Amino acid sequence: MIISFTRDDGTVEEVTTNELSAREAAAIEHAMGGTQWQRVEGLLRLQDPTALLAVLWSFRKREQPDLKFDDFDVPNWKRRLKAGTERSEIEDLFDNVIVQALGKSEDAQIDLMVPALKKGAHNPADVDDALEAVGKGHLVKHQTTLTD
C-alpha cells in the first residue's frame, strides 16, 4: 500500500508498506494494540486513521527514533492521509482471480472487481496495465471522447 501524506505546503509525501522492515511492521502491529499485519493491511484499504497514522509514524521514526506513537498525530487527517493499492498488489490479486476465472472460462468475476480496484488504486491506470500484463487486456474499458 502507498500512504500519501499532504503536507501543509501542499506537497505530497508518499511512503510504501513494501519498504517497511519486519521490525517496523511489528512496531506498527504493537502500536495498534497487537493487530496482526494482515488486518493492518485491511484497515489501510478502509482508510482507517490509526493504520494510516501508524505507517506514517513508522517512517518518521527512522529520523526520530525516540518518537512515540502516542505523541504522533496528523491534524485534518481525512484530507491529508490516504492509502492506495500499488500495482504489484493489483497484479497479485488478478493472478489469483484469473486462475479461478480460467478454470470456469469466464471473465465476469474480473470485470466486476475492476471498478472497486480502480477506486482503491493509488494510480487507477495501474489496474488497466495489470489487466494487460496478465493477458486480460480485452477487459480494459477504453473510453472514447467525441471531438467537434
Side-chain angles (χ1 to χ4, degrees), residues 13-25 27-28 54-68 72:
E13 173 187 356
E14 294 178 347
V15 297
T16 173
T17 57
N18 287 337
E19 292 177 3
L20 290 170
S21 71
R23 289 189 188 269
E24 288 169 328
I28 291 169
V55 172
L56 187 60
W57 163 77
S58 70
F59 280 92
R60 291 291 187 274
K61 278 189 64 67
R62 291 177 177 180
E63 295 177 12
Q64 302 173 40
D66 295 332
L67 182 62
K68 293 179 176 36
F72 185 68

Side-chain angles (χ1 to χ4, degrees), residues 5 30 32-33 35 40 43 47 49 62 70 75 80 88 100 105 108 121 139:
F5 168 62
H30 180 74
M32 294 183 61
T35 303
V40 172
L43 291 168
Q47 307 300 314
R62 291 177 177 180
D70 290 339
R80 300 177 73 190
S88 62
Q100 294 174 11
S105 297
L139 295 176

Side-chain angles (χ1 to χ4, degrees), residues 106-125:
E106 62 182 44
D107 290 336
Q109 190 175 4
I110 299 166
D111 209 26
L112 289 172
M113 61 192 288
V114 168
L117 283 172
K118 284 188 176 189
K119 183 177 180 183
H122 177 69
N123 178 0

Side-chain angles (χ1 to χ4, degrees), residues 93-103 110 130-131 134-136:
L93 181 61
F94 278 148
D95 285 343
N96 292 332
V97 172
I98 286 170
V99 167
Q100 294 174 11
L102 288 175
I110 299 166
L131 281 169
V134 296
K136 292 293 181 177

